[in-house]
Amino acid sequence: MNRFFKNGVRAAVVAFAGLSMSLVSCGDDNNVMSSPDDNVADIQGVDKKLSKSGLVARGFSTLPTDAEQGGVNEVFTEDDILWFDVNTREIRFRDMDMPVRERCKLLTGIEFRLGDKTLFDGSTVVSLICSQFFDDLVLCCGNINNSGDVYYESYYLLDCYPPQFVNDERVVANREKRAKEWDEFVEYLDAKGKLRK
């Protein structure tokens, strides 16, 4: 009974948070994602410190009403990654001055690059309070353990959000489309000694 009560409370909290986020985003029907490559001049001319080699994740605005629309920022590089667990999909980062979740806003687009090649684009940063369905790769910030404790400094590269829809036909199709790039991502981290199996 106690476990049932805890799970019920946890579900209610997540549902309430999700509803709150939904209400905040309801008024904007223009949620069109723009690729960071649309802003190459900004990247080259304004923010010259973006890495051009190795593995880099870049965040970019996806909301047309965002004051920082078109801005691209470096979220993390391979040097920030301690390890990636290929089974759980957890990506663990070293301690940074500003945590990854603060380097990019919720529902920000995120692009993974390896040198000049784009591995994954059109991905989205989500957190546990997100109530939207995403049928493609997401960087999920946060984890709830079996006791109901929330850890905000846990990060996961998931095929979709929420993860219980992993077998949805759109999710499966998107996963198959990026299979080659996913293998490159895993092999690269393995070669760098940052892969847990």
Side-chain angles (χ1 to χ4, degrees):
M1 180 70 177
N2 191 18
R3 182 176 172 93
F4 176 76
F5 179 73
K6 282 183 180 178
N7 287 340
V9 169
R10 185 179 328 142
V13 168
V14 170
F16 178 74
L19 177 62
S20 298
M21 290 301 295
S22 293
L23 293 174
V24 168
S25 64
C26 280
D28 187 5
D29 292 332
N30 299 319
N31 289 342
V32 178
M33 285 186 109
S34 63
S35 168
D37 288 331
D38 295 341
N39 303 303
V40 171
D42 292 334
I43 296 167
Q44 293 171 348
V46 177
D47 198 348
K48 295 181 180 176
K49 60 186 178 195
L50 291 176
S51 300
K52 298 193 182 209
S53 62
L55 181 65
V56 178
R58 304 186 310 177
F60 58 97
S61 173
T62 59
L63 300 176
T65 57
D66 195 329
E68 298 175 14
Q69 180 185 8
V72 177
N73 66 300
E74 191 171 275
V75 178
F76 61 85
T77 70
E78 66 186 60
D79 295 333
D80 298 318
I81 299 172
L82 291 176
W83 48 261
F84 175 71
D85 188 318
V86 73
N87 296 310
T88 65
R89 299 284 196 83
E90 182 177 4
I91 186 167
R92 180 70 53 93
F93 297 102
R94 65 175 176 80
D95 289 334
M96 294 185 263
D97 294 338
M98 180 184 293
V100 168
R101 66 181 163 78
E102 292 179 18
R103 291 177 181 222
C104 49
K105 296 177 183 176
L106 182 64
L107 303 181
T108 295
I110 190 165
E111 174 192 56
F112 291 80
R113 297 182 67 85
L114 186 54
D116 291 332
K117 179 181 180 180
T118 300
L119 289 178
F120 317 122
D121 63 355
S123 303
T124 307
V125 178
V126 299
S127 75
L128 299 177
I129 63 169
C130 188
S131 63
Q132 290 178 275
F133 170 66
F134 294 90
D135 62 11
D136 210 345
L137 192 69
V138 297
L139 177 63
C140 183
C141 306
N143 181 32
I144 300 176
N145 69 12
N146 291 335
S147 302
D149 299 321
V150 178
Y151 295 99
Y152 292 104
E153 294 306 321
S154 298
Y155 301 90
Y156 296 84
L157 280 175
L158 304 176
D159 288 322
C160 64
Y161 185 85
Q164 63 260 36
F165 294 104
V166 71
N167 293 321
D168 180 271
E169 64 184 48
R170 293 168 293 176
V171 174
V172 171
N174 286 329
R175 183 171 53 239
E176 289 172 357
K177 276 194 260 183
R178 70 170 176 276
K180 180 182 172 196
E181 289 78 9
W182 183 262
D183 289 343
E184 285 181 56
F185 173 76
V186 170
E187 287 170 14
Y188 184 80
L189 290 177
D190 194 20
K192 292 288 185 175
K194 294 178 182 268
L195 195 68
R196 285 191 170 184
K197 299 178 184 181

